[in-house]
Amino acid sequence: MSAAATPSATTDESKTIDGFHLLLDALKLNDINTIYALPGIPITDLTRMAQAEGIRLIAFRHEQHAGNAAAAAGFLTQKPGVCMTVSAPGFLNGLTALANATTNCFPMILISGSSEREIVDLQQGDYEEMDQLAIAKPLCKAAFRVLHAEDIGVGIARAVRAAVSGRPGGVYLDLPAKLLAQTMEAEAGKRSLIKVVDPAPRQIPAPEAVKRAVELLKSAKKPLILLGKGAAYAQADAEVRALVEKSGIPYLPMSMAKGILPDTHPQCASAARSFVLPEADVVVLVGARLNWLLSHGKGKTWGGASSKTLGGQQFIQIDISPTEADSNVPIAAPLVGDVGSCVSALLAGMGSSWAKPPAEWTSAVADRKDKNLTKMAETLAKDPSPMNFHSALNVIRNKIKERPDAYLVNEGANTLDFARSIVDMYEPRKRLDVGTWGIMGIGMGFAVAAAVTTGKPVIAVEGDSAFGFSGMEVETICRYNLPVCVVVFNNNGVYKGTDKNPAGTDPAPTNFVKGARYEMMMQAFGGVGVLAKTPAELSKALDEAVASGKPTLINAIIDETAGTESGRITSLNPAAAKKK
Ligand code: ADP
Ligand code: TPW
């Protein structure tokens, strides 16, 4: 039955249901209880109705941050985070987040209103005209459009499955304005909705693949386990811990995998990273890609003679995507399946009398680690004035140690790189950061999502440039009274504050207004703003923020000469920039 065939004027309205409500019912039926949105035509009423229907509606000031919140919620909960935007410009603003979610394998659904199909397709110039489906397609895992009310249930079901099954990612769902106002008979409408059964089915690795992996691991003299954010996402924390502890193999967590096991675990090799990567002979990748963050699995980082040469390691790769293996270097033993199933199968295959790695290897790793940790402790004990990244991050480090349940959101260049190595994490999925793209602008969106989905304290450690990308969302944080403490590492610019323009009076491209009072931005909306010039001031303000749960922004003044251009990835700058 087509919706157009049953205009509400000719039916008893109590027996009809419209597209708005079908959509909300379909989301609720699939346990989606929060929407991150920015209202406007054609979704204003939809956002109101969502609230009326008991869905939590978090309204943002810019769609990118609503989208980032949906993506982070997806990562934290294994349910697709839902973002809703208006047509054309709102949709485009949300698209960066959708693409970033897809790149990072976070499940989210961007639902966008769109203009009249007839007018868009003939390019007759509608209000906010744009062929959104075509634009979204290359940037996400799947893209769908629903034209009839009776297909809304299928549309949501397809979107949910596409977002969370296999390798998770972003899904675009296009809803032309007309659809929302369509009506259909209520009972038929109810029957048209689908509750998705087993949206992310377990994927069990083949027995022969498990056997191959176990044999290879058995032959290793210098094995290493590398945990990526796919392992964090999988919520197979007990299995991963059992693999590490039963095997006795040193492990390295990628930044968002920190805390699956506490960073203080005796087998954690983070402080010996540059030693273990080139030295290891068999590496078990668990939900981690050999992309740029791991130097593509080859070159000097891995002990190769030149930037393109293999280091000689053999790899076991656990990944849910069957096409990930061999994307950079040969994978000797691919294990395709979900982390929980693959790690359980490995554990079973290893049996009960697994020999620990040779002591020569584990003690060499421990020696290197101890040496580096001693050096780090010396650096952290210093108290320079003004503060530098280390002394300020030492305060954050102490706070997370005391409150391991708090979330740490982190972006910037030096602020990111130093925090990753200085701030230990103790619990899984507590660290949210710039991920695979190194994207700036995730800060406030991720912080809102962490607070909304968990109610736990959130500490967002932000470079001053990084903060600027989403800074207006401090109003959102205040409006919903979220327990978020933003710490801006203020060094007067992008990377550093010291650049000079050699050819005029304009500021250099990386300069910001010196001595900016970021804390006043939070005060403007009724939150707490604090200026902190010393570790003691920072520590006091952070204690109060976490204890009170009040929206807080601490403007932490950092030495503008500290840090380096682009942080640890200076070498990725093209040659001309490096000469500076
Ligand atoms: P990192 O940046 O931490 O190294 P990546 O984002 O590069 O991590 O890699 C994550 C990998 O995890 C992706 O290749 C993705 O396919 C995989 N993955 C995501 N979820 C699961 C899961 N449940 N089980 C197995 N692999 C997963
Ligand atoms: C969407 C390029 C990488 S890091 C960074 C920029 C602009 C900011 C560094 O300065 P910040 O940090 O935050 O003050 P710090 O600790 O060094 O002082 N646009 C996007 N993404 C990226 N990655 C950039 C630009 C960039």
Side-chain angles (χ1 to χ4, degrees):
M1 176 185 62
S2 109
T6 56
S8 57
T10 60
T11 40
D12 176 351
E13 290 218 352
S14 67
K15 292 193 180 143
T16 64
I17 184 164
D18 58 26
F20 291 105
H21 288 93
L22 280 167
L23 178 68
L24 298 172
D25 286 352
L27 290 172
K28 282 201 294 188
L29 187 64
N30 286 289
D31 300 323
I32 290 167
N33 47 28
T34 307
I35 295 174
Y36 304 90
L38 200 156
I41 295 172
I43 62 155
T44 316
D45 271 348
L46 188 60
T47 55
R48 292 193 184 109
M49 290 173 192
Q51 272 189 333
E53 293 285 328
I55 292 178
R56 183 128 201 238
L57 194 291
I58 307 292
F60 281 75
R61 304 297 294 258
H62 187 290
E63 292 86 351
Q64 188 175 130
H65 313 307
N68 283 330
F75 172 74
L76 292 173
T77 64
Q78 294 184 322
K79 285 195 292 190
V82 170
C83 171
M84 274 184 196
T85 61
V86 304
S87 16
F91 156 78
L92 286 175
N93 284 345
L95 209 50
T96 305
L98 183 70
N100 186 56
T102 307
T103 299
N104 282 284
C105 315
F106 299 158
M108 75 170 276
I109 304 174
L110 175 66
I111 299 180
S112 184
S114 59
S115 309
E116 299 306 333
R117 286 258 35 96
E118 296 84 344
I119 302 178
V120 173
D121 287 348
L122 275 171
Q123 297 172 32
Q124 293 175 303
D126 203 2
Y127 167 70
E128 297 190 344
E129 175 180 300
M130 178 171 280
D131 188 359
Q132 297 172 191
L133 186 72
I135 290 166
K137 242 177 208 165
L139 298 175
C140 59
K141 191 178 165 194
F144 306 104
R145 176 184 291 133
V146 182
L147 290 177
H148 300 292
E150 66 257 38
D151 293 330
I152 287 175
V154 171
I156 292 293
R158 301 215 71 191
V160 167
R161 262 195 203 287
V164 297
S165 63
R167 172 182 279 176
V171 175
Y172 176 61
L173 190 61
D174 193 78
L175 304 183
K178 263 191 195 165
L179 171 82
L180 297 169
Q182 278 180 26
T183 55
M184 67 184 289
E185 198 258 314
E187 269 307 309
K190 208 170 164 185
R191 283 196 303 275
S192 72
L193 302 184
I194 297 174
K195 180 164 174 63
V196 178
V197 176
D198 199 9
R202 284 203 304 145
Q203 295 191 21
I204 319 282
E208 61 275 19
V210 177
K211 193 157 172 273
R212 192 186 297 124
V214 171
E215 290 305 317
L216 178 55
L217 196 55
K218 220 178 249 171
S219 72
K221 299 277 177 295
K222 298 174 174 183
L224 176 70
I225 295 172
L226 230 155
L227 304 176
K229 59 173 140 21
Y233 173 79
Q235 299 195 14
D237 310 329
E239 291 90 335
V240 171
R241 180 186 270 268
L243 174 68
V244 168
E245 293 184 342
K246 184 172 166 185
S247 69
I249 297 173
Y251 75 95
L252 262 187
M254 299 298 287
S255 70
M256 283 180 63
K258 278 162 68 76
I260 299 178
L261 292 98
D263 284 336
T264 49
H265 192 282
Q267 285 169 255
C268 180
S270 290
R273 189 178 196 271
S274 59
F275 174 71
V276 291
L277 289 180
E279 286 291 322
D281 60 357
V282 174
V283 179
V284 189
L285 299 163
V286 187
R289 288 171 286 189
L290 288 174
N291 56 18
W292 71 281
L293 287 161
L294 283 167
S295 308
H296 305 282
K298 59 193 163 200
K300 294 194 171 146
T301 308
W302 293 88
S306 70
S307 66
K308 299 258 176 200
T309 331
L310 297 180
Q313 290 82 3
Q314 289 193 285
F315 291 96
I316 298 166
Q317 183 160 32
I318 296 178
D319 204 291
I320 201 148
S321 165
T323 54
E324 183 54 38
D326 304 330
S327 53
N328 283 281
V329 299
I331 301 297
L335 267 184
V336 176
D338 64 278
V339 166
S341 301
C342 291
V343 171
S344 301
L346 263 189
L347 281 165
M350 286 161 66
S352 54
S353 53
W354 184 261
K356 302 262 148 129
E360 215 177 303
W361 171 236
T362 46
S363 56
V365 177
D367 285 353
R368 180 61 70 103
K369 181 175 148 176
D370 290 347
K371 217 168 80 195
N372 289 343
L373 287 177
T374 308
K375 246 194 276 173
M376 171 72 88
E378 283 164 13
T379 312
L380 292 179
K382 291 184 185 146
D383 185 11
S385 180
M387 285 192 285
N388 63 11
F389 289 99
H390 290 85
S391 62
L393 283 166
N394 193 36
V395 174
I396 310 287
R397 171 186 163 99
N398 291 337
K399 192 72 209 172
I400 296 284
K401 188 172 181 186
E402 183 194 309
R403 285 297 303 261
D405 60 324
Y407 282 80
L408 180 69
V409 173
N410 191 198
E411 61 179 334
N414 296 281
T415 305
L416 176 92
D417 291 337
F418 287 122
R420 194 173 47 219
S421 56
I422 291 172
V423 182
D424 289 329
M425 304 305 295
Y426 301 85
E427 294 182 8
R429 292 169 294 284
K430 293 292 182 181
R431 189 185 151 85
L432 301 170
D433 68 28
V434 300
T436 305
W437 267 349
I439 190 173
M440 297 299 115
I442 48 82
M444 299 305 104
F446 280 15
V448 167
V452 164
T453 55
T454 72
K456 295 280 185 192
V458 179
I459 303 169
V461 177
E462 304 269 314
D464 49 348
S465 165
F467 172 66
F469 288 74
S470 66
M472 191 63 207
E473 302 299 343
V474 297
E475 190 275 334
T476 307
I477 290 167
C478 288
R479 187 164 17 106
Y480 291 95
N481 194 24
L482 298 173
V484 174
C485 176
V486 183
V487 185
V488 176
F489 275 32
N490 184 359
N491 62 356
N492 298 334
V494 179
Y495 313 129
K496 299 162 96 157
T498 49
D499 268 4
K500 299 266 179 293
N501 172 2
T505 52
D506 274 348
T510 59
N511 291 164
F512 290 154
V513 167
K514 290 201 188 291
R517 300 292 300 273
Y518 290 103
E519 76 280 14
M520 294 169 96
M521 288 176 65
M522 194 61 105
Q523 291 166 353
F525 303 107
V528 178
V530 184
L531 181 67
K533 293 185 174 168
T534 64
E537 287 169 3
L538 174 56
S539 181
K540 179 169 179 284
L542 190 56
D543 284 349
E544 283 173 13
V546 173
S548 71
K550 284 190 195 145
T552 301
L553 192 152
I554 306 171
N555 182 6
I557 305 300
I558 305 288
D559 182 354
E560 66 173 6
T561 66
T564 56
E565 175 123 343
S566 304
R568 276 197 202 149
I569 52 174
T570 306
S571 62
L572 298 183
N573 280 307
K578 273 195 283 179
K579 285 197 197 106
K580 275 200 313 164

